[in-house]
Amino acid sequence: MWTTAWRANANLRNRRARACIPRRRKRALRNLIALVGALAVGACATANANQSGTATASSEPIPVIDKNPYASTYRPYGSVPTLLTGANIYDGAGGRIMGGQVLMVDGKVAAIGQTVEAPAGTETIDAAGKWVTPGVIDVHSHLGDYPTPSVMAHSDGNEVSGPVTAEVHAEHAVWPQDPGFSRALAAGVTTLHVLPGSANLFGGRGVTLRNVPARTVQGMKFPDAPYSLKMACGENPKRVYGSRGRMPASRMGNFALYRKTWQDAVEYDRKWDRWEEKVENGTAKASDMPDRNLQMETLRGVLDGEILVQNHCYRADEMALILDLAKEFGYHVSAFHHAVEAYKIGDLLAEADTCAAMWADWWGFKMESYDGIQENIPFVEAEGACAITHSDDEIGIQRLNQETAKAWADGNRAGLNIPAETAWTWVGVNAAKAIGLEDEIGSLEPGKRADVVLWNGDPLSNYSRPEKVWIDGALMYDVETGMRPVSDFELGQPGEGDTK
């Protein structure tokens, strides 16, 4: 996934590509296994080897594990061809067009430029003096898992029964009626990555959602988006479990349990690799299939490059250690989250092709966040690494444009001279890269999903707000007509449909 990452240098891309060759083979092999299993179930026969090594027919079907039993049922809402004219544009990939045009057709960005050709019957919106951006992406959200109202009955983001809970899924606790979704939509957020909390070393799987009203989480789930694995280092795991008199109670304990768990995962991966090779060469027997372990299955997905690691971590020294841990066990860290000291290791992040998802100016609320600076995000950008603005907060998600603007301004006051259009990549293509979706969202490029926000002014101004928001080309929010989703939970409640 990261071999074609945004702004990765050619040497790094080549190294990543070579490293991924066996993983590609394993993915192809698994597709073959799924096909073999399907044929076996249909024909009640599979090929197994006899004593002479030749394939023989058997009535014993090869079991097939469904890697995605909770598949997306998301379908885009209805759209019409729409042309925005006269707009100032941050394209999300580092480009700017003044007085340009954006065309949306069939849920995709069809064209962008100074002038574009639109088909007959296209709805035209005069955006002169206004601004257009791709939909805002929040890579670190807990909406749905910690919904509003914030009461204990709704607290479902942390499974604090053990330091390793890689088997849990954030999506299994998402409440689609969370009023926070519509409030984030009114702030231009079209895609959000919902993560488990940070109490555990291995907290479970994260899920990417489209910010649309739906009855079920599957109705919001971004089709074919990769899962993530939430990991956490530092104070949280050692505090939670050390206070119970169990491991980990120190940073040493954190790393010892990381290593033990990853070693278990490597051995589990090898065992399943051997099984899949038997399926490929026709010598597999269903009775020899390894036992399934849901915890290890998630970690195996990471080792095979199918699941992306999102790692809660504050201190520079610990992030450097985690990068070494990843090298030791052969996986990739997609992004460090919070990363308050990322400015100290921007070069290491760039070399590892690892993003840092950060706040603009949160710091000092615990010891590992003490050495924060307001120029953190722009300094990471200046080192050529992948910088991202994230929220980790149900209110902060409604102000990601302002958080980005604060960090950008702080960096430029420090003499970094970062263009505004570059700053918008922090909630644009960089954010899309961290969750494995840079080919679909994050920038206004032809062929990508038409997630588009029309702002009443420069979105890097405190005084600007979205006027209209499209998701897959469908108009989902319109301040002029009052169009906005309101969940069943909100109906008849004080502040129904309110935006902060």
Side-chain angles (χ1 to χ4, degrees), residues 73 183 289 293 305 364 380 411 417:
T73 59
R183 284 157 175 73
M289 184 176 179
N293 182 315
V380 171
N417 298 319

Side-chain angles (χ1 to χ4, degrees), residues 451-473:
D451 295 352
V452 179
V453 183
L454 175 64
W455 303 78
N456 61 8
D458 187 337
L460 295 176
S461 165
N462 285 345
Y463 300 102
S464 298
R465 296 290 293 165
E467 285 190 355
K468 300 180 191 294
V469 180
W470 291 265
I471 298 179
D472 282 324

Side-chain angles (χ1 to χ4, degrees), residues 235-253:
E235 291 183 23
N236 286 16
K238 72 168 191 165
R239 181 187 69 248
V240 170
Y241 294 100
S243 66
R244 301 177 183 182
R246 60 176 297 187
M247 192 176 187
S250 67
R251 283 181 164 86
M252 292 186 299

